[in-house]
Amino acid sequence: MTSAGAPAVPSYTSGISEVPLLGDTIGDNFDRMATAQPDAEALVEVPTGRRWTYGRLREELDTLAMGLLAAGLSKGDRLGIWAPNMAEWTLIQYATAKIGVILVNINPAYRTHELEYVLNQAGISVLVAARSFKTSDYAAMIDEVRPRCPQLRQVVLIGSPEWDALVESGRDGDRTELARLQAQLSPDDPINIQYTSGTTGFPKGATLSHHNILNNGYFVGRLCGYTPADRVCIPVPFYHCFGMVMGNLGATTNGATMVIPAQGFDPKATLAAVARERCSSLYGVPTMFIAELNDPEFDSYDLSSLRTGIMAGSPCPVEVMKQVVDRMGMTEVTICYGMTETSPVSTQTRADDSLDRRVSTVGRVHPHVEIKIVDPETGLTVPRGVPGEFCTRGYSVMLGYWNEPEKTAEAIDQARWMHTGDLAVMDSDGYVNITGRIKDMVIRGGENLYPREIEEFLYTHPDVLDAQVIGVPDARFGEELCAWVTLREGAPALTAEALREFATGKLAHYKIPRYVVIVEEFPMTVTGKIRKVEMRERSVEILGLADAATIRNA
């Protein structure tokens, strides 16, 4: 009888940790930190100069929570937040968590079509919104859709008399009753809904619990080495997990300071905030770091306080990571990989990883999480070094998509593995590289875009017969959208400018294709499936994007 040798090592690993998971709710965890260090700085809003210690922030959170109770909200109700990065966003985030009201994040770039869908799909009863931001007149858009949103009973514009009244109504609230209600909450309760672009034409609401996001923020912060001495500059949007979980919760669970540099990303404002507030950590998608490094006045900012930070949300170019280490002094910068549905982080590089590993992989499995790489056809775990679909399991996997059990079942299998749709390779030491995507999702500057949603919209153009949307390489955003379009007989040629004009005000700006290629027909397989891989290759040639296509990513 002969031996066939040892079987190959499978692409599976789990995050062993001596540090236990937190068993708190978000409110209890914050209160515990505020009691331990009431005089430590918790939040700084640089544009307005407003500052909160942990003790003062706890007082204001309790007041706002009691105001929300006075407005008739209770555990399980949904409150929408539609605003750019501002202190009130953070106040609402923690105040809703204290009373079990589910916070629904609404992308500041949404337009009426998307806003109306989310308000109705989540059953939002109270909407807190900024009056406007950049070119978005939120108040006007809310007025337009409100008659078609029967469950929306109250709108509170930040800074308006209604906002002041909401806060004032909580000042005389019963703190004993607030504490009683807070004590009745479970860490496993749903507390946050974040919408991801939908492959079927509409976004899906990833529903996350206290346990999901509190722990993910905590361990992201721990792997960055956060202590109460750290100050975290957060230019990434709060509506996204990167801002509210990795940023806000990553800071407060470790007693660090949240620093808001501006309402929206601005490279100068970010660099100035780091210098002025002596931030030790800086977050961003690669696009943001590229803009900061290329600022004409970059060398005039004192960034000597920087130690760590996170680059995530989009494939991270190796050369950009090296510059962040060398020119920004972020010697302990980490790369994170994840998705909204997993709270979001599943893998992260560590400060003690070699420079090569830290700039060319997305790291190793997170504490208390399992990951594996499987054959997309069979579902079996592939050997190390073989590409397959990245799957993850553990405390971080969402409860499900809000009111969409069938969609949930498509993403999470019976063993509770989340199937990401991303192609990855795990090396012999457990480090992971993301090599592509099974689904044709496009990641533009940290935004996950699903072509099907955009294609469905393009079909509404009177001259469009058929449309296929793909991602093409872009030096700034990682990927940009390109629409291949076939036109109805006799229709005039459609330019990218004309298409953008048609979509403006109806789609969020980042969903509007930058490029348009008019064709007679699409490349097809012998079985009649669209060959998007071939379309991408041809687009690179047609649009002259060969240089962008050569950029190496982790």
Side-chain angles (χ1 to χ4, degrees):
M1 188 171 176
T2 59
S3 171
V9 177
S11 294
Y12 167 89
T13 186
S14 60
I16 299 168
S17 177
E18 295 179 356
V19 179
L21 288 165
L22 299 173
D24 291 335
T25 61
I26 292 169
D28 285 352
N29 182 268
F30 184 88
D31 288 352
R32 190 169 285 112
M33 190 61 68
T35 301
Q37 50 174 49
D39 298 326
E41 201 158 54
L43 176 64
V44 177
E45 187 180 63
V46 175
T48 63
R50 294 185 292 171
R51 296 172 182 273
W52 289 259
T53 62
Y54 270 87
R56 181 188 162 203
L57 188 55
R58 180 183 182 181
E59 288 292 318
E60 295 204 12
L61 293 177
D62 286 352
T63 296
L64 183 54
M66 290 185 290
L68 295 173
L69 291 172
L73 287 165
S74 58
K75 177 182 174 180
D77 289 343
R78 274 80 65 206
L79 178 148
I81 177 79
W82 195 27
N85 285 18
M86 54 203 311
E88 286 80 5
W89 209 110
T90 304
L91 289 166
I92 285 288
Q93 175 186 347
Y94 286 82
T96 49
K98 275 178 163 280
I99 56 174
V101 169
I102 300 171
L103 181 72
V104 183
N105 304 3
I106 304 175
N107 190 325
Y110 272 4
R111 292 296 185 263
T112 52
H113 174 74
E114 299 137 320
L115 174 65
E116 180 181 340
Y117 176 78
V118 166
L119 288 171
N120 286 323
Q121 204 276 333
I124 292 171
S125 57
V126 174
L127 175 62
V128 175
R131 194 179 299 278
S132 62
F133 175 59
K134 293 184 177 178
T135 60
S136 296
D137 185 340
Y138 293 149
M141 285 190 273
I142 294 167
D143 286 343
E144 182 182 333
V145 305
R146 194 169 183 178
R148 301 190 294 275
C149 301
Q151 294 173 84
L152 180 63
R153 58 179 174 78
Q154 185 176 0
V155 174
V156 180
L157 298 178
I158 295 168
S160 71
E162 290 79 13
W163 172 265
D164 294 339
L166 177 69
V167 174
E168 200 58 38
S169 67
R171 294 203 189 281
D172 298 322
D174 185 345
R175 289 179 184 270
T176 304
E177 175 65 5
L178 175 63
R180 186 186 71 81
L181 293 173
Q182 192 171 321
Q184 291 180 346
L185 303 180
S186 163
D188 296 319
D189 290 336
I191 202 61
N192 184 218
I193 298 174
Q194 300 197 29
Y195 278 87
T196 64
S197 293
T199 54
T200 56
F202 288 106
K204 302 187 293 292
T207 307
L208 302 164
S209 68
H210 296 264
H211 194 65
N212 287 150
I213 59 178
L214 184 74
N215 278 290
N216 205 253
Y218 176 58
F219 281 100
V220 164
R222 282 191 62 88
L223 293 187
C224 287
Y226 288 163
T227 71
D230 281 290
R231 300 171 70 80
V232 187
C233 185
I234 312 172
V236 293
F238 287 160
Y239 80 84
H240 191 276
C241 269
F242 203 169
M244 69 162 286
V245 179
M246 298 158 71
N248 290 346
L249 287 169
T252 62
T253 53
N254 290 284
T257 306
M258 303 169 279
V259 177
I260 303 172
Q263 289 195 349
F265 174 67
D266 176 86
K268 289 186 185 298
T270 302
L271 293 167
V274 169
R276 175 179 155 187
E277 295 296 328
R278 307 304 295 154
C279 294
S280 55
S281 177
L282 173 61
Y283 288 7
V285 299
T287 307
M288 293 179 175
F289 283 107
I290 291 168
E292 290 153 12
L293 290 161
N294 290 330
D295 187 277
E297 298 171 6
F298 176 83
D299 291 330
S300 69
Y301 296 100
D302 179 3
L303 306 181
S304 60
S305 59
L306 282 176
R307 170 183 65 80
T308 186
I310 296 173
M311 189 184 296
S314 186
C316 302
V318 172
E319 290 307 313
V320 176
M321 277 293 288
K322 288 179 177 176
Q323 284 194 54
V324 165
V325 172
D326 294 340
R327 296 182 60 205
M328 301 182 84
M330 294 169 60
T331 54
E332 298 177 24
V333 66
T334 70
I335 285 181
C336 293
Y337 162 79
M339 61 192 306
T340 303
E341 291 90 334
T342 56
S343 300
V345 176
S346 295
T347 70
Q348 187 172 352
T349 58
R350 272 61 162 180
D352 59 355
D353 286 336
S354 69
L355 180 63
D356 181 61
R357 284 250 165 84
R358 283 195 291 128
V359 301
S360 62
T361 77
V362 294
R364 291 172 284 154
V365 66
H366 232 236
H368 301 286
V369 169
E370 297 173 274
I371 61 173
K372 65 178 179 178
I373 314 294
V374 304
D375 183 315
E377 298 297 321
T378 66
L380 297 176
T381 305
V382 299
R384 303 258 176 132
V386 176
E389 183 181 15
F390 184 99
C391 298
T392 183
R393 178 169 70 178
Y395 78 85
S396 57
V397 175
M398 66 173 178
L399 300 177
Y401 292 119
W402 184 259
N403 282 345
E404 294 197 83
E406 291 180 3
K407 296 297 178 191
T408 302
E410 290 172 12
I412 303 172
D413 66 25
Q414 289 187 325
R416 289 291 296 171
W417 285 99
M418 178 77 203
H419 290 252
T420 68
D422 286 335
L423 290 169
V425 177
M426 183 185 295
D427 72 13
S428 58
D429 295 318
Y431 289 84
V432 175
N433 270 94
I434 304 300
T435 58
R437 288 180 293 282
I438 296 170
K439 304 164 188 172
D440 57 1
M441 183 178 76
V442 177
I443 303 180
R444 179 193 181 275
E447 295 284 358
N448 292 352
L449 307 177
Y450 288 88
R452 177 69 183 274
E453 180 187 3
I454 300 159
E455 289 161 1
E456 294 282 357
F457 173 77
L458 294 179
Y459 292 145
T460 66
H461 191 289
D463 295 332
V464 171
L465 182 64
D466 200 358
Q468 295 293 324
V469 173
I470 56 171
V472 294
D474 183 78
R476 184 181 176 202
F477 290 104
E479 288 185 290
E480 271 284 8
L481 292 173
C482 175
W484 279 44
V485 173
T486 59
L487 298 175
R488 299 187 189 282
E489 193 170 344
L494 185 66
T495 65
E497 289 73 22
L499 191 65
R500 278 198 290 270
E501 185 176 341
F502 175 75
T504 297
K506 299 171 187 169
L507 280 184
H509 67 88
Y510 58 83
K511 295 180 185 176
I512 300 174
R514 178 175 177 182
Y515 304 105
V516 174
V517 176
I518 306 296
V519 294
E520 295 291 325
E521 57 185 12
F522 303 121
M524 311 278 274
T525 65
V526 290
T527 58
K529 293 181 179 177
I530 302 289
R531 283 186 46 80
K532 288 199 169 183
V533 172
E534 183 180 333
M535 288 169 59
R536 189 177 191 274
E537 292 169 352
R538 284 168 55 182
S539 295
V540 168
E541 185 179 338
I542 293 167
L543 302 171
L545 302 175
D547 287 347
T550 62
I551 296 174
R552 206 156 59 98
N553 296 303

